Amino acid sequence: MNIDEILYNLARKASKKGEIPVSAIIVKNNKIIAKAYNRKNKTKNILDHAEIIAIKKANKKLHKWNLSDCIMYVTLKPCSMCEQIINQTRISKIYYYLEKPDYKKEYSNVKYLKLDNLEFKSSYQQLLSDFFKKLR
Protein backbone atom coordinates (compact mmCIF):
# COMPACT_ATOMS: atom_id res chain seq x y z
CA MET A 1 0.00 0.00 0.00
CA ASN A 2 1.39 3.42 -0.90
CA ILE A 3 1.21 6.71 1.02
CA ASP A 4 -1.64 8.04 -1.12
CA GLU A 5 -3.79 5.01 -0.33
CA ILE A 6 -2.98 5.10 3.37
CA LEU A 7 -3.79 8.81 3.63
CA TYR A 8 -7.03 8.35 1.72
CA ASN A 9 -8.11 5.39 3.86
CA LEU A 10 -7.32 7.28 7.07
CA ALA A 11 -9.25 10.35 5.85
CA ARG A 12 -12.20 8.13 4.91
CA LYS A 13 -12.10 6.56 8.37
CA ALA A 14 -12.21 10.04 9.93
CA SER A 15 -15.15 11.01 7.73
CA LYS A 16 -17.11 7.90 8.72
CA LYS A 17 -16.59 8.85 12.37
CA GLY A 18 -17.91 12.37 11.81
CA GLU A 19 -14.48 14.02 11.81
CA ILE A 20 -13.15 16.41 9.20
CA PRO A 21 -11.39 13.98 6.84
CA VAL A 22 -7.79 15.03 7.32
CA SER A 23 -4.99 12.51 7.75
CA ALA A 24 -1.24 12.68 8.27
CA ILE A 25 1.74 10.35 8.00
CA ILE A 26 5.30 10.84 9.26
CA VAL A 27 8.14 9.07 7.48
CA LYS A 28 11.74 8.52 8.52
CA ASN A 29 14.26 6.78 6.27
CA ASN A 30 11.46 5.82 3.85
CA LYS A 31 9.56 4.03 6.62
CA ILE A 32 6.22 5.13 8.07
CA ILE A 33 6.70 5.75 11.78
CA ALA A 34 3.36 7.43 12.57
CA LYS A 35 -0.05 7.90 11.01
CA ALA A 36 -3.21 9.58 12.24
CA TYR A 37 -6.50 11.24 11.36
CA ASN A 38 -8.53 14.02 12.98
CA ARG A 39 -10.17 13.03 16.28
CA LYS A 40 -11.12 16.30 17.97
CA ASN A 41 -14.87 15.61 17.89
CA LYS A 42 -14.43 12.19 19.49
CA THR A 43 -11.95 13.31 22.14
CA LYS A 44 -13.47 16.79 22.61
CA ASN A 45 -9.88 18.07 22.45
CA ILE A 46 -9.11 20.93 20.06
CA LEU A 47 -5.50 19.71 19.79
CA ASP A 48 -6.43 16.37 18.24
CA HIS A 49 -5.70 17.30 14.64
CA ALA A 50 -4.18 14.56 12.48
CA GLU A 51 -0.81 16.32 12.28
CA ILE A 52 -0.48 16.72 16.05
CA ILE A 53 -1.55 13.16 16.80
CA ALA A 54 0.98 11.87 14.26
CA ILE A 55 3.70 14.05 15.80
CA LYS A 56 2.92 12.71 19.28
CA LYS A 57 3.12 9.14 17.98
CA ALA A 58 6.44 9.85 16.25
CA ASN A 59 7.82 11.50 19.41
CA LYS A 60 6.89 8.44 21.44
CA LYS A 61 8.29 5.98 18.91
CA LEU A 62 11.59 7.84 18.44
CA HIS A 63 11.90 8.98 22.07
CA LYS A 64 12.62 12.56 21.04
CA TRP A 65 10.84 15.81 20.17
CA ASN A 66 13.18 16.84 17.35
CA LEU A 67 11.89 15.29 14.12
CA SER A 68 14.27 17.08 11.74
CA ASP A 69 15.10 13.76 10.09
CA CYS A 70 11.43 13.14 9.25
CA ILE A 71 8.99 14.12 6.50
CA MET A 72 5.25 14.67 6.89
CA TYR A 73 2.54 13.87 4.35
CA VAL A 74 -0.90 15.37 4.94
CA THR A 75 -4.12 15.48 2.94
CA LEU A 76 -4.90 19.17 3.57
CA LYS A 77 -2.45 22.02 4.09
CA PRO A 78 -1.99 22.36 7.87
CA CYS A 79 -3.81 25.06 9.80
CA SER A 80 -1.79 27.76 11.53
CA MET A 81 -1.81 25.90 14.87
CA CYS A 82 -0.47 22.71 13.31
CA GLU A 83 2.00 24.66 11.22
CA GLN A 84 3.52 26.21 14.33
CA ILE A 85 3.76 22.85 16.09
CA ILE A 86 5.32 21.26 13.01
CA ASN A 87 7.80 24.11 12.92
CA GLN A 88 8.71 23.46 16.56
CA THR A 89 9.41 19.78 15.81
CA ARG A 90 11.87 20.79 13.07
CA ILE A 91 10.22 18.49 10.51
CA SER A 92 12.09 19.36 7.32
CA LYS A 93 9.41 18.87 4.66
CA ILE A 94 5.65 18.74 4.50
CA TYR A 95 3.90 17.36 1.43
CA TYR A 96 0.19 18.13 1.13
CA TYR A 97 -2.46 17.52 -1.51
CA LEU A 98 -5.05 20.29 -1.16
CA GLU A 99 -5.11 23.93 -0.11
CA LYS A 100 -7.92 25.13 2.10
CA PRO A 101 -10.73 26.81 0.16
CA ASP A 102 -10.53 30.62 -0.07
CA TYR A 103 -13.75 31.01 1.90
CA LYS A 104 -12.30 29.01 4.82
CA LYS A 105 -10.88 31.66 7.13
CA GLU A 106 -9.22 30.76 10.39
CA TYR A 107 -11.00 32.18 13.41
CA SER A 108 -9.01 34.55 15.60
CA ASN A 109 -10.19 36.77 18.39
CA VAL A 110 -6.91 36.85 20.29
CA LYS A 111 -5.73 40.17 21.64
CA TYR A 112 -2.15 40.32 22.89
CA LEU A 113 -1.65 42.67 25.81
CA LYS A 114 1.86 43.29 27.06
CA LEU A 115 2.39 43.25 30.82
CA ASP A 116 4.64 45.91 32.25
CA ASN A 117 6.03 44.74 35.62
CA LEU A 118 9.67 45.81 35.26
CA GLU A 119 10.89 43.80 38.25
CA PHE A 120 9.32 40.59 36.92
CA LYS A 121 10.53 41.25 33.37
CA SER A 122 14.09 41.78 34.57
CA SER A 123 14.10 38.63 36.73
CA TYR A 124 12.49 36.55 34.04
CA GLN A 125 14.86 37.82 31.35
CA GLN A 126 17.79 36.79 33.57
CA LEU A 127 16.26 33.35 34.13
CA LEU A 128 15.89 32.82 30.36
CA SER A 129 19.40 34.07 29.69
CA ASP A 130 20.93 31.81 32.34
CA PHE A 131 19.01 28.80 31.06
CA PHE A 132 20.27 29.20 27.49
CA LYS A 133 23.85 29.95 28.63
CA LYS A 134 23.86 26.57 30.40
CA LEU A 135 22.70 24.85 27.19
CA ARG A 136 25.55 26.29 25.15
Side-chain angles (χ1 to χ4, degrees):
M1 190 178 275
N2 66 29
I3 287 176
D4 296 345
E5 291 177 56
I6 295 168
L7 283 169
Y8 184 81
N9 288 335
L10 288 168
R12 196 169 66 192
K13 188 173 184 180
S15 180
K16 286 180 181 179
K17 294 183 176 212
E19 302 284 351
I20 297 172
V22 175
S23 57
I25 293 175
I26 297 177
V27 174
K28 179 180 178 183
N29 298 329
N30 295 318
K31 183 180 178 196
I32 295 173
I33 60 165
K35 54 188 177 179
Y37 57 87
N38 278 358
R39 298 182 49 124
K40 76 177 186 177
N41 291 331
K42 177 174 177 35
T43 64
K44 309 292 187 259
N45 186 333
I46 192 66
L47 301 175
D48 281 346
H49 290 209
E51 300 93 329
I52 296 172
I53 296 168
I55 286 168
K56 288 167 68 175
K57 287 179 176 183
N59 293 151
K60 187 174 182 178
K61 182 166 187 148
L62 299 176
H63 306 286
K64 63 180 188 171
W65 65 266
N66 186 324
L67 303 177
S68 59
D69 52 356
C70 297
I71 295 170
M72 178 179 278
Y73 295 86
V74 64
T75 52
L76 190 63
K77 186 175 181 183
C79 70
S80 58
M81 175 183 71
C82 290
E83 185 178 325
Q84 289 302 311
I85 292 170
I86 293 165
N87 187 44
Q88 289 292 314
T89 69
R90 314 291 198 265
I91 288 175
S92 58
K93 292 181 185 169
I94 305 166
Y95 293 95
Y96 66 94
Y97 292 89
L98 295 177
E99 297 271 351
K100 289 193 173 97
D102 290 337
Y103 64 85
K104 175 74 172 141
K105 302 226 185 224
E106 292 195 32
Y107 177 76
S108 178
N109 67 343
V110 176
K111 292 180 183 174
Y112 289 94
L113 303 168
K114 190 169 182 179
L115 296 169
D116 220 15
N117 180 331
L118 296 177
E119 185 179 330
F120 176 85
K121 284 173 32 175
S122 176
S123 298
Y124 182 63
Q125 188 171 18
Q126 189 62 53
L127 177 67
L128 276 175
S129 179
D130 291 347
F131 176 81
F132 286 108
K133 280 180 187 173
K134 287 178 188 175
L135 286 179
R136 296 179 181 119

